[in-house]
Amino acid sequence: MTMMRAVEIGEPGGPRALRVTERPKPEPGEGEVLIRVKCAGVNRPDVLQRMGAYPPPEGASDLPGLEVSGVVEKLGSGATRFAEGDAVCALTAGGGYAEFVTVHESNALPVPGGFTFSEAAAIPETYFTVWHNVFQRGGLQSGETFLVHGGTSGIGTTAIQLAKAFGSTVITTAGSAEKCAACEKLGADRAVNYREEDFVEAVREVTDGRGADVILDMVGGDYISRNYQAAAIEGRVVQIAFLGGAKAEANFSLLMMKRLVHTGSTLRARSVEFKGALAAELQEHVWPLLADRKVQPVMDMIYPLAEAWRAHERMEAGSHIGKIVLDVE
């Protein structure tokens, strides 16, 4: 078989811009593995790429899809980490919405024991992102208070569980009573319905006025100045997206007086080596938690590959709780 089914972006636009096509099956290069994709995760950057707002990095596939699970089909020269037939999940720079994808072997991890392929496809993007931003950049420690916005997103559900697993008090925001209940079921100590409550006041209540040590924000906009108000002395604010806008007015005197750190990152364009180092840390620190089901992806909906547009519609509607996945087979 030299061709494969894939979902491509015709012209930038709405969900119907996604269309099923035939593409040449890729070949693994030096140090790479070819994965026969079983399932692919759907993420917000896929939606932005479809809209023409998030082009793939140089050298990456133009197909959407940043995480997959599947079986190693073929090894590239020098690849020794896996054997053909191994069940893996992997972080990709693109190309996940397809029957086959190539990734560097260091960016793939074994499917945790007992996990289905649909669950495994829901792990890489959010776990890599949360580990880097919350624990590496944010430096979250046991005993500290953590605030994560968007608690029922893929990132949010992952961050809540990991922060609790490593001994933090967790506060989160969500947009309905149902979503807040879902966050608390995952272990959040306090879930704030942002349509009815001020999260700054809620953080002060939970922490007796001290504030949150680490804040993970994908909203931006007016949340930036409010994050500064909610942060503790020496607090760390980590920015990973701007769903509410990338420009805002903020009182930077709070940044100085509280000695805050406001940092941010994107993952997709980082080097293979950087992602490989992240994967190694995850395998050491997080894979045992996954194997014991102390943390696990929260699954929302699974759609067939040909209905990727429906998956994008659901993500844009904002009603999902947890991860949306494509069943490629």
Side-chain angles (χ1 to χ4, degrees):
M1 185 173 88
T2 59
M3 301 295 285
M4 66 174 183
R5 275 190 322 138
V7 169
E8 67 181 5
I9 300 164
E11 292 290 327
R16 290 286 190 168
L18 297 174
R19 64 190 186 195
V20 179
T21 187
E22 292 269 307
R23 287 286 186 96
K25 180 176 161 185
E27 280 293 315
E30 177 81 27
E32 292 185 335
V33 293
L34 175 68
I35 299 172
R36 179 187 289 271
V37 179
K38 298 281 190 180
C39 295
V42 176
N43 293 282
R44 184 71 58 176
D46 303 342
V47 172
L48 295 175
Q49 181 179 339
R50 190 205 73 226
M51 295 166 65
Y54 191 39
E58 190 176 345
S61 169
D62 67 307
L63 300 174
L66 300 178
E67 60 185 344
V68 299
S69 66
V71 175
V72 175
E73 178 91 354
K74 186 177 180 182
L75 304 177
S77 61
T80 58
R81 180 167 157 78
F82 298 102
E84 290 179 7
D86 282 355
V88 297
C89 56
L91 189 71
T92 71
Y97 290 17
E99 290 180 311
F100 293 92
V101 69
T102 57
V103 299
H104 194 274
E105 63 175 1
S106 67
N107 291 188
L109 287 158
V111 170
F115 275 64
T116 64
F117 281 113
S118 56
E119 289 176 313
I123 294 173
E125 173 70 13
T126 54
Y127 278 77
F128 276 70
T129 297
V130 169
W131 186 257
H132 175 53
N133 288 288
V134 176
F135 296 94
Q136 291 185 338
R137 299 189 82 81
L140 184 65
Q141 302 291 317
S142 176
E144 290 190 320
T145 299
F146 173 57
L147 168 64
V148 54
H149 295 298
T152 53
S153 66
I155 293 289
T157 54
T158 301
I160 290 168
Q161 293 179 79
L162 282 178
K164 286 303 292 184
F166 286 100
S168 296
T169 297
V170 177
I171 306 167
T172 189
T173 60
S176 70
E178 179 197 10
K179 287 186 172 186
C180 285
C183 292
E184 289 173 348
K185 191 174 178 182
L186 286 172
D189 297 279
R190 177 82 151 82
V192 181
N193 183 340
Y194 64 78
R195 299 184 197 279
E196 298 177 355
E197 290 184 86
D198 177 8
F199 71 80
V200 177
E201 288 303 316
V203 169
R204 286 173 179 157
E205 281 173 28
V206 173
T207 63
D208 294 325
R210 208 177 61 80
D213 299 289
V214 177
I215 300 174
L216 183 66
D217 182 28
M218 62 279 285
V219 180
D222 69 348
Y223 272 38
I224 292 175
S225 61
R226 294 165 70 195
N227 286 335
Y228 291 179
Q229 294 170 36
I233 302 293
E234 306 277 4
R236 290 86 74 195
V237 181
V238 189
Q239 203 74 43
I240 57 167
F242 294 102
L243 298 178
K247 295 181 180 179
E249 288 188 13
N251 181 355
F252 285 109
S253 66
L254 282 175
L255 193 78
M256 296 161 60
M257 289 187 291
K258 289 187 173 183
R259 301 184 297 280
L260 305 179
V261 172
H262 191 168
T263 183
S265 74
T266 60
L267 182 60
R268 188 178 189 182
R270 299 300 293 268
S271 69
V272 162
E273 293 77 16
F274 174 83
K275 294 172 186 174
L278 268 183
E281 284 201 20
L282 284 169
Q283 189 159 8
E284 179 182 354
H285 299 291
V286 176
W287 248 237
L289 298 175
L290 286 163
D292 291 341
R293 292 275 179 176
K294 291 178 179 172
V295 299
Q296 59 189 338
V298 175
M299 306 301 290
D300 181 77
M301 294 282 281
I302 301 171
Y303 296 92
L305 180 65
E307 295 179 19
W309 63 272
R310 288 182 62 207
H312 278 224
E313 278 190 341
R314 180 156 181 82
M315 176 158 280
E316 288 189 69
S319 55
H320 61 289
I321 295 177
K323 293 286 292 193
I324 301 167
V325 168
L326 300 177
D327 186 335
V328 176
E329 288 197 309

